[in-house]
Amino acid sequence: MRALTIQVLGCVRYLRPDRNPLRRPVDRVHARLVAVLTAVFLVTGVIAALLMIHFVGGAGLRAEHHQARARYQVDALVTATGTAASRNGIGQETRLRWEDRTGGVHTGTVVPTGDDRVGVHRRVWINQKGHLTARPRTHAQTLTDTTLAVFAALTSLTILHAGVYAAVNRRLERRRMALWEDAWAATAPRWTGRS
């Protein structure tokens, strides 16, 4: 805990403006760069997170409500089970027959479960046209998608800000090295006695 406190105080001391004669203007520019990039990251991070929540979360909620209205479960009768050829090769499938809300009879195939036998009833999801479909979107899926979108946005912003910081810091470091070389060229003859 003490080490963290020392690091935080060191950062505050580095970032605060002072009249230290040993602090060069390039060091002050670097301190301002860190402060500005941190503030920009915090503001853009909050905005990006709110936008992801609004757009991705809103789209997920709309899909939840739409699918809850447009899909429903019915009892289907297993008419056949067995092996069938598909695009992915040969696999197992279960053939079903069901009635929609209007009384229309439909058939289709699904992936088998362990207890599929001819004559057994099975619950399936269908759409308003009576065709097989997936279960409606859950709220947990919407929350997961929204969380992943926020995480992706913040990760992208972090990479962008790190890139900007690295590019500007490289230029400032070159400037620091040039200033150091100039200062050493002026000081070295006095210290070493060589001109």
Side-chain angles (χ1 to χ4, degrees), residues 39-143:
V40 168
F41 176 75
L42 292 174
V43 170
T44 56
V46 169
I47 290 171
L50 291 174
L51 286 174
M52 291 298 110
I53 290 169
H54 176 73
F55 289 113
V56 176
L61 286 174
R62 285 189 298 278
E64 277 180 53
H65 296 308
H66 173 72
Q67 290 178 8
R69 286 190 311 268
R71 297 177 182 183
Y72 55 96
Q73 275 189 309
V74 295
D75 276 328
L77 179 67
V78 176
T79 58
T81 61
T83 308
S86 68
R87 280 186 255 161
N88 299 332
I90 296 177
Q92 297 290 323
E93 71 177 16
T94 298
R95 191 138 190 82
L96 303 174
R97 185 177 68 230
W98 66 91
E99 288 185 17
D100 62 17
R101 288 184 176 173
T102 62
V105 177
H106 301 274
T107 61
T109 58
V110 293
V111 176
T113 61
D115 57 348
D116 282 347
R117 294 181 315 277
V118 175
V120 173
H121 286 270
R122 183 171 164 185
R123 301 284 287 170
V124 293
W125 288 95
I126 61 171
N127 60 20
Q128 291 175 333
K129 294 181 180 180
H131 302 294
L132 286 172
T133 188
R135 72 174 49 245
R137 181 181 182 85
T138 64
H139 191 62
Q141 289 172 310
T142 299
L143 289 176

